[in-house]
Amino acid sequence: MNRIWSTAAVEFRIAMRNRWVAIAVLLMVVFALVLAAAGAAPTGDIGADRLSVIVASLTSLAVYLVPLIALLMSFDAIAGEVERGTLPLLLTYPVSRAQVLAGKLLAHLAILTLAVCAGYGAAAAAAFWMDPASAAGLPALLRLVASSVLLGATFLGAGYALSALARRPSGAAGLAVGLWLGAVVLYDLVLLALVVSDGGGALTTQALPVALLANPADAFRLFNLAAAGASAAAGGMGGAASAIPLWQSALSVALWPLLALGLAIAAFRKVTP
């Protein structure tokens, strides 16, 4: 365990030197405050407290921004070591490859958690300043924080796997962008097209819930919309959130980080110095 913590400490110092901590925190705080100001308009229409509605808006922010930050931090975790020629030296230490990845994951997850807490905390402070009754939305905010960290862990693991497969930072960056576009943007567009063409048939009623749970970004969104009291503020996804049991989306959110890290370890073991 000491070896994992030592690796994590080194990775965190590198991230501090590369200003990843400041960049991640700044992005989350700026976008969260913008949504806190603009996303609370429907509170009077749906009868929810301001913080619950802001949480629904923050869910839409997190599903795009958290995976992007995670992939930007992780895409060169292995490929960068290969390009710089430091991987052979790293592997001479009495640290297994799984421990190396675990250390990197701890450091990057600490940065992501700091950014998430800073961004959501700023939005919550704005909500309480505008509406003292926002305390009712605190459970939804805490669920959002925890699930955002798990979503980030999923894409950190995916980034490590892509980095190990590409073995060059430029190739890993291209794969990371492709993964983000595919999982966060194009996946839902394809599902929407299939649902429209199906016209309420078996694809919509049976295959769609499975397809949504199979995507970590969609499972994250469904979990938070189903658990929060302001699902209606999120539009069409609210209907899907109410149709899928909460435990299923929660299970998907919890299992994806383990699966992603397992894939990363398997890919890293095939990398030769």
Side-chain angles (χ1 to χ4, degrees):
M1 193 64 186
N2 290 335
R3 297 169 182 175
I4 295 177
W5 285 112
S6 298
T7 303
V10 171
E11 290 294 329
F12 192 85
R13 286 195 295 270
I14 292 174
M16 288 284 290
R17 187 168 61 246
N18 294 337
R19 300 183 180 178
W20 265 118
V21 176
I23 292 172
V25 170
L26 181 62
L27 283 174
M28 290 299 300
V29 170
V30 169
F31 281 103
L33 287 177
V34 169
L35 284 182
T43 51
D45 297 329
I46 64 175
D49 67 277
R50 190 173 296 268
L51 183 56
S52 293
V53 179
I54 288 177
V55 166
S57 299
L58 289 175
T59 300
S60 298
L61 167 70
V63 81
Y64 289 99
L65 195 54
V66 169
L68 181 61
I69 293 175
L71 288 171
L72 288 176
M73 285 194 295
S74 61
F75 79 90
D76 68 338
I78 307 302
E81 301 276 6
V82 174
E83 186 176 70
R84 293 188 295 269
T86 56
L87 183 61
L89 177 61
L90 178 63
L91 296 181
T92 60
Y93 297 146
V95 182
S96 69
R97 299 191 182 208
Q99 289 175 324
V100 169
L101 284 183
K104 290 178 179 289
L105 179 65
L106 280 179
H108 292 153
L109 204 56
I111 297 169
L112 197 61
T113 302
L114 178 62
V116 164
C117 290
Y120 297 170
F128 277 102
W129 180 70
M130 293 183 285
D131 179 13
S134 294
L138 280 177
L141 180 66
L142 294 176
R143 284 191 295 265
L144 180 62
V145 171
S147 57
S148 295
V149 172
L150 291 175
L151 179 66
T154 297
F155 280 89
L156 284 172
Y160 300 149
L162 295 178
S163 185
L165 292 173
R167 305 190 186 186
R168 289 182 179 273
S170 57
L175 291 175
V177 171
L179 175 62
W180 182 81
L181 286 173
V184 176
V185 180
L186 299 180
Y187 191 88
D188 286 346
L189 293 178
V190 172
L191 288 184
L192 179 61
L194 292 176
V195 168
V196 171
S197 64
D198 183 56
L203 177 64
T204 303
T205 58
Q206 299 178 16
L208 179 61
V210 176
L212 290 173
L213 293 174
N215 183 353
D218 282 330
F220 163 83
R221 182 158 37 193
L222 290 172
F223 169 73
N224 284 286
L225 293 181
S231 300
M237 188 62 75
S242 61
I244 298 176
L246 180 62
W247 71 267
Q248 292 184 4
S249 55
L251 183 62
S252 178
V253 170
L255 289 181
W256 265 109
L258 300 177
L259 177 60
L261 184 59
L263 291 174
I265 294 173
F268 189 24
R269 283 174 177 166
K270 296 182 179 180
V271 177
T272 55

